[in-house]
Amino acid sequence: MAPAAVPLAKLASLLIKTLAKPVSKQVRRHCVKQPITRNALIWVGQATNRMTTRMNMWSSGYKVRSIAKLEEEAALSQGADILSETFLFTVSGGIVVYEYNRSSAKEKKKEAARLQVIRDDAERLQKKLVSLDKRLVALEEYAKVNRRSILGIGIGANGNYVEPDEVVPIADEEADGTDAISNEEKKTTNKNEPSTSDKTSNKSQRSW
């Protein structure tokens, strides 16, 4: 039994998921150090704080008048957390989409192979039906020519059955059976025919 193929795609997906967390930490550390990305992360942290605070107060039934800003380090930390989570979500989502497309491609290939098998079977059955129709027509012609002999009158021309051209075996085992019968006929013919030594002895007896 052949060993199962190693699922390289799944191993690659697992490796990417494993490396995503340390990579996200490196991205976070790098963005915190750069002035442009640092200010962007602070703005994201402040906006997230305002949004979550407003939603919590609305859900509790209070009216929101003003929301105090976070400290710079707290806003930076919150923005950096959002950046890390966004990075991990993007990587995981990309892997899910890739695996979905890959499985869909496999299913399409299987469906195409199944449809091809159905088409081949239909074509083979159509050829068998055409061959059967040709044989029926040949049998009708044979019956018409030999109708007097079939009725027992014994007069009229006796025709031979003519095998139609371009016919295929009706049954799948018919071709093998025909070959087996022809081989048996050849063996029987060879057994009935006298050998060369027998023919030589017969000639010598006649000469005596």
Side-chain angles (χ1 to χ4, degrees):
M1 184 177 179
V6 179
L8 296 178
K10 292 185 178 180
L11 290 177
S13 301
L14 182 60
L15 179 62
I16 293 173
K17 288 181 180 178
T18 304
L19 296 177
K21 288 185 178 180
V23 171
S24 67
K25 291 180 180 179
Q26 292 293 332
V27 171
R28 172 178 175 169
R29 190 178 296 111
H30 179 74
C31 291
V32 168
K33 292 180 178 180
Q34 299 297 325
I36 297 176
T37 54
R38 180 185 178 88
N39 294 331
L41 292 177
I42 292 173
W43 182 86
V44 171
Q46 295 289 357
T48 305
N49 177 62
R50 288 194 300 269
M51 186 184 301
T52 55
T53 304
R54 193 181 300 274
M55 292 178 65
N56 290 331
M57 294 182 70
W58 280 348
S59 63
S60 299
Y62 298 102
K63 292 183 179 180
V64 181
R65 293 183 179 179
S66 63
I67 299 174
K69 291 184 178 181
L70 292 174
E71 295 182 358
E72 184 175 339
E73 291 297 327
L76 179 62
S77 177
Q78 190 168 357
D81 291 339
I82 293 174
L83 176 64
S84 299
E85 295 297 330
T86 303
F87 178 81
L88 293 175
F89 177 79
T90 303
V91 172
S92 300
I95 292 174
V96 170
V97 172
Y98 170 74
E99 291 180 352
Y100 174 77
N101 292 333
R102 185 167 170 268
S103 61
S104 298
K106 284 186 177 180
E107 291 296 329
K108 288 181 180 179
K109 288 182 180 180
K110 290 181 180 179
E111 185 67 17
R114 188 179 67 85
L115 292 176
Q116 186 62 38
V117 170
I118 293 175
R119 293 191 191 98
D120 294 340
D121 291 340
E123 184 178 359
R124 185 168 59 254
L125 289 175
Q126 182 65 27
K127 289 181 179 180
K128 289 182 179 182
L129 289 175
V130 172
S131 299
L132 182 60
D133 185 66
K134 290 181 179 180
R135 291 180 177 180
L136 289 176
V137 171
L139 287 173
E140 289 178 356
E141 295 294 332
Y142 176 76
K144 288 179 182 179
V145 173
N146 297 275
R147 61 185 180 276
R148 294 182 179 274
S149 299
I150 293 173
L151 294 175
I153 300 176
I155 59 176
N158 293 327
N160 295 325
Y161 174 75
V162 180
E163 182 73 19
D165 298 331
E166 298 181 358
V167 295
V168 297
I170 302 302
D172 294 336
E173 296 83 3
E174 185 174 345
D176 298 335
T178 305
D179 295 339
I181 292 172
S182 61
N183 291 331
E184 290 294 332
E185 290 179 351
K186 288 180 180 179
K187 290 180 181 179
T188 306
T189 305
N190 293 332
K191 288 181 180 180
N192 293 332
E193 289 182 355
S195 61
T196 307
S197 59
D198 294 338
K199 291 180 180 180
T200 306
S201 60
N202 291 333
K203 288 181 180 180
S204 61
Q205 289 176 1
R206 289 179 182 176
S207 61
W208 283 104

